[in-house]
Amino acid sequence: MIRIALAGQPNCGKSTIFNMLAGVNQHVANYPGVTVDKKSAALTYAGKAFELVDLPGTYSFSTFSLEERVAKNFILDEQPDVIVNVVDASNLRRHLYLTFQLLELGRPLVLVLNMMDVAERRGLDVDCDKLAALFNVRVVKAIGAKRQGKEEILRAVHDAAQTKVVEPFRVDYDKLEPYISQIEEKLSAPDHLSSRWLALKVLEGDDVILDRVGIHREAVRDVSREIHSRHDIDVDQMIAGLRYTAADLAYHKCVKERRLQGETITSKIDRLILNQWLAFPVLGLVIFLVYQLAIVQGYKLTDYTWPLLATLRNQFFAILPRAEFIDVPLLTEFGIWMANSVLALLNYIPVFFILFALIAILEDVGYMPRMAFILDRVFRKFGLHGQSTLPLVLGGAFVGGCAVPGIMATKGIADERARLATILTVPYMNCLAKVPFYTLLLGAFFKEQMALMMFFISTVTLFIALILARLLTSTVLRSRETAPFVMELPTYHMPTLSGVLLRAFQRLWIYIKKVVTIVVAVAVVLFVLLQYPGVPAERMADYRSQADTALADFAAVAEKTSYAPVLVDSHQVFRLLNLYDDYRAARMLAASADAVAALDETYQGRDPELFAIVSAADTEARRINRALRNLSNVGKRLQLNIKNDKITNSYLGTLGRTLEPVSRYAGFDWRINVAFLSSFAARESAVATLGSIYEQGATDASAEEVMARDGAYTPVHAAAMILFMILTPPCIATMVVVKLQSGSYKWMLFAIFFPISLGIVLSALFFSAAVQFGWSGVDLMRNFYIGVAALALLLGFIKNKQSGWYVGKTH
């Protein structure tokens, strides 16, 4: 087995080369303990088995970013037989900076000059023979987007694996050479690594290498101070400067530049895209299109996918034990709960697929770095990153987003501090699931001011996210690494359909495999919390008494008909009732006379005798059918009451009552607490729970009307509830994705409990102020909005100390 590591800087087309070499034989996972994608593939060439691993894109082999650390650890630990270094041939001088560090490893290396077509269009003639002789490696030309160069790369890798590197390429580090030699003499390098490379990393103070070779950091600092004292040079800057100088010399030896007439296509496009006045409108248009296509159109597609999922769900329900009037088997309740939990997430598949495909297109085209370039100056003031834009918008910077794809989109943020800050602030956006709750309260208490209140709700969240990002990056995230980030603006490229679809499917599979499996475990916990300890015995005895009465009334009607022998057994009555309920539900979905006829034929075949009663085939059957309708209505009402009692008496309901002494300061009683607690599974549950709690028998009044005339709440109470909902995270699914993207349960727990604490504190503070000063509900929201907006502006003017950021344009 020949193990190959594919390495290169971002935007060099490395993923395209990987896809060209690997085809569909790919496996996507994560590196152990981190959220960075690990793509690998198995292939065969010339009778040899190859394992190809795509390392994360990295500008250097320092340890500033998570990607750099992962790539370096892989090479140190996994000992690849060959390193394939993919470079952008149209930007060769800059890409050679990483190439030199890979050459210094002393491992067999193949240099792949990708994007040769772009280089030729820019008037660059690269002499591959000179480059190969200079670096003593095999050099291959390729155009990954056109699938050119595959055979040549595999042949070069095969040959390189059979060749031992005798004299690796060396950069002359001038005055540092004596110190490198001294360190090299003290090290015992493993066979697969160059002692010179290790000495260089020690001199650079690389934490990963220092931990491995056992050299104390203070000793390295002493050497650095000595060098600075004797030669007045900084070690890191000198090493970097000499590498760039060497890259410049190699470039001029091996590349000829032909003068071309006029601007490049990239320069022409960037004059529009990065124009001082047009940059933000164009960015807004791009974000709007992504938002519309992924979220809005994706949700419309669920109208087509959900019937398919619902059909699967109904087929699953059909094999579960059936209810016997008010007695629903525990296995049935559990199966229904689990199926609904999983299918609710699978229903997001169209949204995620479109999102991942659009992100892949933006990455391939080259607009993602430009998006970051445009917004970085604003977001940097709050500890965020220009690439935080898309996640925040997808999460619901405008009402109607979804935090799950928003957080999933943070993978493109290289800076660890900014990425974590974005992950922890996206949940504050207005996800679509919160809208029904807002609609319920606004319809009940703010009908006249609904537009104004929705403006407050839809725009205040971005201010909240900026404030919290600034606070987090200044406190709990302060120790997180933030790299000197080189923002590259690469040339524009046409994406390939195969590359876009492949990456979209890969990311979608990761979502299905990881999120759904974790959500299953969470759903089990929630089921137990809402199911147990169950309905009190005396209440259940009362329900059974009502059920027995209803069954007796039905039996009295049935025994006076010729159908009495069929219904003498209670189990037959339950079968009839289930057949009746199933038929009525299916009958409502039948859209034509032919569909009704086909449905009748199906149910006639299931049980001819009982279906005669369901279809009211004769006078006696019609009489029983009327009694059956009453029995069905009584059964549904009793099942609903039992469900409500379970919620009230459940562990979650008990917790709601326990929290009441604290939550009452925000105006929440136990009923509101139960609604909020149940909503952490899915925000829509808040509305359903409130509806269940407030429903008392059959009523034609809407939930809004019931709440408004209940008398327990006022518009001030409703405003406090809205404020709490704004500040709290969307749902358990979002928190699971926070864990997946942050790689830590600690951050998941923080993302749950910090917003809840902040929400209850601010809700209590503003509710108490409203009571004290006689504010209306609108006054409460307006004052909250003004305070948050003012604080965000104030923090924006206070200088934020962060590492330097270097922005470079590459055209």
Side-chain angles (χ1 to χ4, degrees), residues 338-380:
M338 296 303 295
N340 287 334
S341 299
V342 172
L343 292 180
L345 284 170
L346 293 180
N347 198 41
Y348 284 120
I349 284 177
V351 176
F352 292 138
F353 181 77
I354 295 173
L355 169 66
F356 295 147
L358 291 175
I359 290 176
I361 290 172
L362 292 177
E363 289 171 346
D364 286 355
V365 167
Y367 187 73
M368 289 292 271
R370 287 163 172 84
M371 184 186 296
F373 174 79
I374 294 167
L375 283 173
D376 177 69
R377 183 172 299 178
V378 175
F379 278 179
R380 193 170 11 134

Side-chain angles (χ1 to χ4, degrees), residues 639-682:
Q639 285 188 19
L640 179 62
N641 290 340
I642 292 171
K643 178 183 176 183
N644 293 341
D645 279 358
K646 280 184 179 178
I647 293 174
T648 303
N649 195 51
S650 68
Y651 295 126
L652 212 55
T654 303
L655 181 58
R657 293 184 184 277
T658 304
L659 294 174
E660 204 169 37
V662 176
S663 65
R664 65 185 178 87
Y665 292 104
F668 306 159
D669 61 11
W670 75 271
R671 296 177 294 183
I672 299 302
N673 292 342
V674 169
F676 279 132
L677 288 169
S678 66
S679 74
F680 288 114

Side-chain angles (χ1 to χ4, degrees), residues 245-256:
T245 300
D248 188 66
L249 289 171
Y251 176 83
H252 285 293
K253 281 184 179 181
C254 304
V255 179
K256 290 183 180 180

